[in-house]
Structures are given as C-alpha cells and as structure tokens.
Amino acid sequence: MGKKIVRVLMRPIIKLVMLIYRMKVINVEKLPKEGPAIVVLNHRHYFDIIFILSQFKGDEIRFVGRGTIKYNPFLRLLGWGFNIILVNRDGSDVGPLKNMIKLVKNNGILGIFPEGTRRGLYKGQFKSGATYVALRTKVDIIPVGINGPLKLFSKGNYLKVGDRFNLYELMDKKKTTKDKDEVDRLSEILKDKILELVDDGFYDDLKWFRKRSKR
C-alpha cells in the first residue's frame, strides 16, 4: 500500500516536470501497454526516467537505476515507490540482471538506459545488459530517443519512440549469450537504433564517426 501511495503522490510531480520542460512524445502509440517488453533509452538528463515514467501508470514498468540514487532523498523515494532495480556502478552484481530477466519472463516491462550514466555514449559507455536480457528472454525491444536542449521552458524537448524489434531474431544461431563478440555486435545494432531516434543534432558527430568506421 505504501508504494502505491508514493506513486499516486508522485504523479502530479511527474506531470509538473513534463509541463515545465514542455516535453512532448512522438509516436506514443508505439510504447507497450503491457509486457513482456524492454524499453531502451539514451540518457542525457537527471529527469530522463521521469520523462518516460510519465507515459506509464507506474506499476507495469520497472526501471534499472544506479545504486547511488539512494543518496538523493527524492530519487530514493522515487526508486522505492516505482520498484527501480538498483545496480552497482561497476556492474559486478549479477543479482539485478537475474531480476531483470525474471521480470520480463513474468510479462513485465523493463526500462533501461544502456549508457549507465548521463551522456555515457560520449564517455565510451554502453552496457550490454539490455542486449543480454533481450537475448535470454527473446522479447521485443522498443527504442526511445530523448531529444532537445532539455532546459526549463525550452522548445524542442521530446521523446521519440521507434519501432519495436527483436534482437534474438538477429542473433547468429550458431552462437550464444556466452559469445561476447556476438553480444557486442548486437549491442551495436541496439545503439544504432537509439541514435536514429535522436535527431536534434546532439549525436551528429558520433553518428558521423560511426558511419565512417563502418566503411
């Protein structure tokens, strides 16, 4: 009951954040209304999780977050109320990964930021956890790109939802999730899917470099 109350109390705050950031959602109909599914997003702002939570009732999706949110009272309350799966920064604990797989296999919706930290792509970070869960559960991924200056009352802030796709279907069936090179290859496909949805120019230099490296 306590968590339900927290979610109810958080709802006006979430709506307020969406309002003051003038955040819009493009292709909202592509977001899953029920599981199993994995929603994967880029990570650029402290409120990214609030931006996407605004499109769900709250109890049908669980996000993955860094364990350090426990040091922020607001984020700690948010994490508790919305059952966020906490992971260590170094990813050394396999427990959270097992919880993610269990959640999806039980028809839940998993929300995850593969970068692991804000602007992680520019820091060379892109975790393989989302790829691993998608391969183990064989469920669809729904990519979402977070766009805009992401400043208060600014125009041009929006979430862009992409088409769902299945990484397992793209996997070399001669390989398994134990083959790191194959997991890395599929993670690159996932990365490209997210980058395609960020069309505000933020990743243009990164996109250019990736295209050139593939020639």
Side-chain angles (χ1 to χ4, degrees), residues 12 24 38 102 105 115 154 184:
K24 298 180 179 180
I38 304 171
K102 182 179 180 180
K105 285 187 174 181
E115 290 175 272
S154 295
D184 289 343

Side-chain angles (χ1 to χ4, degrees), residues 39-127:
V39 178
V40 182
L41 312 92
N42 60 315
H43 194 5
R44 288 173 54 184
H45 194 276
Y46 287 111
F47 288 160
D48 285 343
I49 192 170
I50 293 179
F51 297 150
I52 187 64
L53 267 177
S54 69
Q55 303 306 305
F56 294 91
K57 294 178 181 178
D59 57 352
E60 76 277 39
I61 185 170
R62 290 184 66 185
F63 280 88
V64 179
R66 292 194 312 185
T68 52
I69 69 172
K70 63 185 178 182
Y71 300 115
N72 181 302
F74 174 76
L75 293 179
R76 183 170 65 245
L77 183 62
L78 183 76
W80 179 76
F82 286 90
N83 295 307
I84 292 177
I85 300 172
L86 300 181
V87 298
N88 294 332
R89 189 165 189 172
D90 60 4
S92 59
D93 187 1
V94 298
L97 186 59
K98 292 181 179 179
N99 289 336
M100 295 178 217
I101 294 172
K102 182 179 180 180
L103 168 69
V104 176
K105 285 187 174 181
N106 288 336
N107 295 320
I109 302 174
L110 176 69
I112 188 167
F113 300 89
E115 290 175 272
T117 185
R118 287 181 301 114
R119 304 186 180 188
L121 285 174
Y122 278 114
K123 301 173 185 177
Q125 296 187 26
F126 195 83
K127 310 289 185 179

